[in-house]
Amino acid sequence: MNPRSAPERLLSVLAAFDHEHTALTLTDISRRAGLTLTTAHRLVGALTLWGALERDPSGTYHVGLRLWEIAALSPRGLALRQIALPYLEDLYEATHENVQLAVRDGCDVVYTEWLSGHSSVGVHIRVGARWPLHATGVGLVLLAHAAPAFQDTYCTGPLTSFTPHTLTDPSSLRRLLADIRHTGIAVSDRQITDDALSVAAPVRGPGGEVVAAVSVVVPQQGAQVGVLTPAVRVAARGISRALGWRPAGRGEA
């Protein structure tokens, strides 16, 4: 096995942190990063000095604000969120349900904003969370508008099941993706939890490419998809226009 390069070791320290491990001791970082304690100490010191990590009085390390500042420059992260937020807030006011904005990163959907609704529906989402594309409304939208070669590869790969309703049949998934491209709307019914349904629509960039997806998540029981769909469409189109998109024809959502 080739030894890891210095940049790889540095990145492994940052990768030691995740949503389940937001506060780590030096020993924790060493173990999770697969580094000797001496190497971890040196790298953590450099990252702390730069501001990527912060050390509290107990000696525990947390992700530092310097990384937040860098992340704010991402056109698909905080920059997109700032443009989208007024439209997400309008969607929330229209529905008073969970509202989400997400982008694709490889085979995952990554949530860049989430406004919590009043319903008690179980939503396992937080900003920065990842889920497989096929299992969420926003993920289905992004998968439906990905390159055909990517779709073929994804559909033939392992499709993780989370509930009995999770779509894991490749042929059924392909048919659903074609329907989403035709209608401009994805409905994900009890795919992550058995009590939630989401309605999602694509967000387009200046050239018409799908750069993100917006959705509303409601309790599955009593969900009115026909009522939610226009509201989600309006939010998605509003964000798209704010990004510089102009519809070329009536067929584009």
Side-chain angles (χ1 to χ4, degrees), residues 170-211:
S171 297
S172 298
L173 179 56
R174 288 190 178 93
R175 288 194 295 271
L176 178 59
L177 297 178
D179 184 65
I180 292 168
R181 288 191 294 272
H182 176 70
T183 64
I185 287 291
V187 177
S188 178
D189 186 0
R190 295 169 291 174
Q191 292 218 91
I192 293 292
T193 63
D194 59 10
D195 62 348
L197 177 145
S198 70
V199 179
V203 172
R204 298 182 181 273
E209 72 283 7
V210 173
V211 297

Side-chain angles (χ1 to χ4, degrees), residues 57-79:
S58 71
T60 301
Y61 291 89
H62 309 261
V63 173
L65 286 176
R66 187 71 181 273
L67 288 183
W68 180 261
E69 295 172 10
I70 298 297
L73 303 176
S74 169
R76 297 200 304 153
L78 293 180

Side-chain angles (χ1 to χ4, degrees), residues 142-229:
L142 295 167
L143 180 58
H145 292 280
F150 175 83
Q151 291 182 38
D152 289 341
T153 300
Y154 189 95
C155 289
T156 56
L159 300 174
T160 304
S161 178
F162 300 95
T163 75
H165 304 280
T166 306
L167 191 59
T168 58
D169 176 64
S171 297
S172 298
L173 179 56
R174 288 190 178 93
R175 288 194 295 271
L176 178 59
L177 297 178
D179 184 65
I180 292 168
R181 288 191 294 272
H182 176 70
T183 64
I185 287 291
V187 177
S188 178
D189 186 0
R190 295 169 291 174
Q191 292 218 91
I192 293 292
T193 63
D194 59 10
D195 62 348
L197 177 145
S198 70
V199 179
V203 172
R204 298 182 181 273
E209 72 283 7
V210 173
V211 297
V214 61
S215 72
V216 61
V217 182
V218 302
Q220 191 275 338
Q221 187 172 9
Q224 296 179 302
V225 174
V227 174
L228 296 170
T229 295

Side-chain angles (χ1 to χ4, degrees), residues 78-166:
L78 293 180
L80 171 63
R81 174 190 175 276
Q82 289 176 337
I83 292 172
L85 191 56
Y87 303 94
L88 300 177
E89 290 174 338
D90 287 345
L91 180 57
Y92 172 80
E93 289 300 326
T95 63
H96 291 288
E97 298 288 358
N98 297 288
V99 172
Q100 303 168 341
L101 179 71
V103 298
R104 180 171 76 87
D105 185 28
C107 294
D108 296 330
V109 59
V110 178
Y111 291 84
T112 58
E113 184 55 278
W114 169 46
L115 303 182
S116 179
H118 293 169
S119 71
S120 59
V121 62
V123 179
H124 297 173
I125 299 300
R126 59 172 75 84
V127 173
R130 290 174 174 265
W131 285 94
L133 292 168
H134 68 282
T136 69
V138 285
L140 287 169
V141 166
L142 295 167
L143 180 58
H145 292 280
F150 175 83
Q151 291 182 38
D152 289 341
T153 300
Y154 189 95
C155 289
T156 56
L159 300 174
T160 304
S161 178
F162 300 95
T163 75
H165 304 280
T166 306

